[in-house]
Amino acid sequence: MSTELPRLAPRIDPDTAAFWEGTTRGVLLLERCPDCQTVIWYPRGGFCPACGKFSAVTFEAAGTGTVYSFTVVHRGLGEYAGVTPFVIAYVELDEGPRVMTNIVDVDPSEVHVGMPVRAVFHDTGEGSALYRFAPAQRTGA
Amino acid sequence: MTIKRKAFIAGIYEHPRREIPDRSVAQIHAEVAIGALADAGLTLSDVDGYFTDGSTGFGAMSMTDYLGLRCTHSDSTETGGSSYLFHVGHAAEAIAAGRCNVALITLAGKPRTGGGGGPGRAYAPENAFEGLFGMSGAVTGYALAAQRHMYEYGTTSEQLAEVKVAASLHAQHNPHAMLNKPVTVEEVLASPMISSPLHRFDCCVVTDGGGAVVVVSPEVARDLPRANVTVLGQGEAIKHSDNGRIDLTYTGGVVSGPRAFEEAGVTHSDIDYVSIYDSFTITVVETLEDLGFCEKGQGGRFVMDGTLVSPGGKLPFNTDGGGLCNNHPSNRGGITKIIEAVRQLRGEAHPAVQVPDCEIALAHGTGGSLATRMGSSTLIMAREAA
């Protein structure tokens, strides 16, 4: 099992406030443009970079996806210096976007491209929770 | 409008030191500016166009003040380590448009001994979605790209190591190189894993220093003794996270490369030497594919068997030792890519690595990260008097 990772809090801006509020409830909120149907990442508070309109609406993502790529970090910096080895990955969500994240609750040597994962949320105590991903077959807490 | 043959590289200078605790970043800018202008046969008072990145205060505004310049054109385009390859293209455009005649480009920084600047990223919109997961160093992003490239194309760590081996063979002839001992594939693989699959020897060096380039109009070039390299073409692109659809297996070189070749009117077989941005070994492999020197996915195989080694390789690269061994001043390797390409075209590279009859050279920069967003610029130059 990996060490508990740092829970750094994001700066919350007008365009990301709804997203981070969702994470505190254990929900991954994505934005979809009603005009072009594009699912948007990262959150832009309604702005759709695909068609240039401020019309996107939020919806709850399934919270599941697969590992698109990953790296096992052996030299961490800052708050991450003491928690190596840990895994940074791009997870491709079932809704399409590839999001940067950590893979947790698994031995880093077992992580592989294509691995099914599900979102877990680590509360920062500052009005947000970090979305990380754990192997999907591990259901329950 | 084209920039082809509209501008000439008149002067170059690479700071000889790799640790500079006794100078400020601004002083290093001044040292390299004076050095490149002296190489050109010019002085600071001749400069009417100034280009630098956005890492020192207000970029060109702060440094124009410090250097005492009076310019009719300035540009602080900030694309990380590739900024200076953008700057050469932009300088040539400005010269072609009659906005300046003597363009000075400078880079300086001190990541090794401290006191350097760096662009402000606190308010970058992407920050909260990338900066909280431990990806504080560049290597982790390039490792993500390398892992995916290996997954899709079967690229191996041994193949990546060949890039470092070639750079180290060149660096042994450079007395200023940070690392000047040749290494083997086995030594690269035995070096500590930093961020899998990248080892320490897959990573560039961290150095203080800087460099400068002087770009001039044909009219100015005719009166200068060393202005015998002309700009044939340049292409640029910013490739980004693409609204969450990022593909880690290619770079902005897929856009910048073809545009540069088209403007220059040359083909791959015309290129005698390449400077390829080598922040990490994977950067070189992906870039060579994207510039069309080999098929997509074949970069790993392409760099085997000494392809990149000078002399003798099919495509000699980074004969100064590159960022992997020689110098990566301010964590930015773009200016040294230009400088070594100009040395090759002048016939002034180290004799042990000089490409015979080097007439056309390509320099390519990759700034930012393969894993998020990058600025890519491809510059093609030729040995040619004004």
Side-chain angles (χ1 to χ4, degrees):
Chain A
M1 290 301 104
S2 51
T3 313
E4 171 93 355
L5 296 180
R7 298 184 175 195
L8 305 183
R11 196 191 67 249
I12 297 174
D13 289 324
D15 50 352
T16 59
F19 174 83
W20 291 113
E21 186 278 326
T23 61
T24 64
R25 295 184 283 114
V27 171
L28 199 58
L29 288 178
L30 296 177
E31 299 172 17
R32 179 189 282 120
C33 177
D35 293 324
C36 70
Q37 300 301 316
T38 301
V39 177
I40 296 158
W41 184 261
Y42 45 87
R44 287 159 165 87
F47 176 70
C48 173
C51 66
K53 294 177 186 158
F54 267 97
S55 56
V57 294
T58 58
F59 68 100
E60 289 191 14
T64 49
T66 56
V67 173
Y68 169 73
S69 193
F70 72 97
T71 178
V72 182
V73 181
H74 294 271
R75 293 293 177 88
L77 295 180
E79 293 87 344
Y80 281 84
V83 296
T84 56
F86 67 94
V87 179
I88 294 180
Y90 264 112
V91 165
E92 183 173 310
L93 300 176
D94 291 347
E95 293 81 4
R98 292 169 180 162
V99 305
M100 190 179 290
T101 187
N102 300 116
I103 306 297
V104 296
D105 300 339
V106 62
D107 188 311
S109 67
E110 293 180 19
V111 177
H112 57 272
V113 174
M115 184 181 204
V117 291
R118 64 180 173 81
V120 296
F121 294 87
H122 293 167
D123 202 302
T124 66
E126 296 183 39
S128 59
L130 292 188
Y131 47 94
R132 288 171 166 144
F133 287 80
Q137 54 268 42
R138 291 174 189 274
T139 54
Chain B
M1 190 178 90
T2 173
I3 61 172
K4 188 175 184 179
R5 296 194 174 90
K6 299 285 178 62
F8 290 76
I9 312 283
I12 54 172
Y13 184 78
E14 179 182 8
H15 202 291
R17 296 170 67 187
R18 304 293 177 260
E19 293 190 0
I20 317 177
D22 55 317
R23 291 273 194 279
S24 70
V25 170
Q27 284 178 309
I28 299 169
H29 274 284
E31 284 188 282
V32 298
I34 293 165
L37 287 163
D39 182 53
L42 297 166
T43 68
L44 283 167
S45 62
D46 296 310
V47 174
D48 60 0
Y50 179 63
F51 298 71
T52 193
D53 58 52
S55 70
T56 307
F58 282 91
M61 190 161 71
S62 294
M63 292 312 304
T64 295
D65 183 349
Y66 183 91
L67 295 169
L69 302 174
R70 299 192 186 281
C71 293
T72 53
H73 190 87
S74 58
D75 182 335
S76 310
T77 295
E78 173 62 271
T79 58
S82 63
S83 301
Y84 325 95
L85 289 121
F86 281 72
H87 294 161
V88 172
H90 297 184
E93 290 170 21
I95 289 167
R99 298 190 176 276
C100 60
N101 289 298
V102 177
L104 169 68
I105 303 166
T106 68
L107 156 71
K110 299 177 56 180
R112 190 163 190 88
T113 61
R121 293 168 64 184
Y123 289 90
E126 69 273 13
N127 206 30
F129 302 96
E130 297 167 5
L132 306 176
F133 302 106
M135 209 191 80
S136 41
V139 62
T140 49
Y142 287 77
L144 288 170
Q147 190 81 260
R148 186 70 194 187
H149 200 273
M150 289 178 166
Y151 175 80
E152 289 198 24
Y153 299 116
T155 307
T156 67
S157 290
E158 288 80 0
Q159 291 169 340
L160 295 184
E162 293 279 3
V163 176
K164 169 73 170 189
V165 170
S168 77
L169 290 171
H170 300 154
Q172 67 180 318
H173 304 293
N174 182 349
H176 301 299
M178 188 79 195
L179 306 174
N180 54 18
K181 186 168 151 282
V183 298
T184 64
V185 168
E186 293 70 28
E187 287 172 318
V188 176
L189 299 187
S191 66
M193 190 68 84
I194 303 296
S195 190
S196 70
L198 298 181
H199 305 79
R200 177 181 288 166
F201 286 2
D202 287 298
C203 305
C204 60
V205 297
V206 176
T207 51
D208 297 343
V213 172
V214 178
V215 186
V216 302
S217 65
E219 294 71 29
V220 174
R222 282 182 203 113
D223 293 329
L224 297 175
R226 291 168 65 67
N228 63 343
V229 170
T230 192
V231 176
L232 291 183
Q234 184 250 356
E236 66 186 56
I238 291 175
K239 183 206 170 210
H240 52 66
S241 63
D242 198 18
N243 194 17
R245 276 69 174 174
I246 191 165
D247 183 331
L248 298 177
T249 63
Y250 71 93
T251 73
V254 299
V255 175
S256 68
R259 292 180 70 88
F261 275 105
E262 182 182 2
E263 184 168 45
V266 302
T267 64
H268 295 81
S269 60
D270 296 319
I271 304 292
D272 299 308
Y273 163 84
V274 292
S275 285
I276 303 292
Y277 202 96
D278 56 344
S279 44
F280 300 92
T281 51
I282 182 64
T283 321
V284 176
V285 168
E286 285 201 10
T287 301
L288 290 170
E289 296 170 355
D290 295 339
L291 295 181
F293 287 103
C294 62
E295 292 292 312
K296 190 65 203 171
Q298 298 299 305
R301 289 169 189 80
F302 181 75
V303 300
M304 294 174 72
D305 306 320
T307 298
L308 303 177
V309 177
S310 185
K314 279 182 294 186
L315 188 67
F317 99 129
N318 298 7
T319 41
D320 60 337
L324 288 167
C325 296
N326 170 34
N327 196 8
H328 199 238
S330 198
N331 294 326
R332 291 155 176 266
I335 203 117
T336 47
K337 295 295 163 288
I338 303 162
I339 290 170
E340 182 67 6
V342 172
R343 289 192 192 113
Q344 281 285 352
L345 292 168
R346 287 176 168 181
E348 295 179 357
H350 190 283
V353 295
Q354 174 67 48
V355 174
D357 302 319
C358 186
E359 292 181 358
I360 300 180
L362 178 151
H364 181 87
T366 307
S369 175
L370 294 192
T372 54
R373 59 203 59 74
M374 72 188 81
S376 298
S377 177
T378 309
L379 178 66
I380 300 176
M381 297 167 281
R383 185 178 66 205
E384 195 172 296

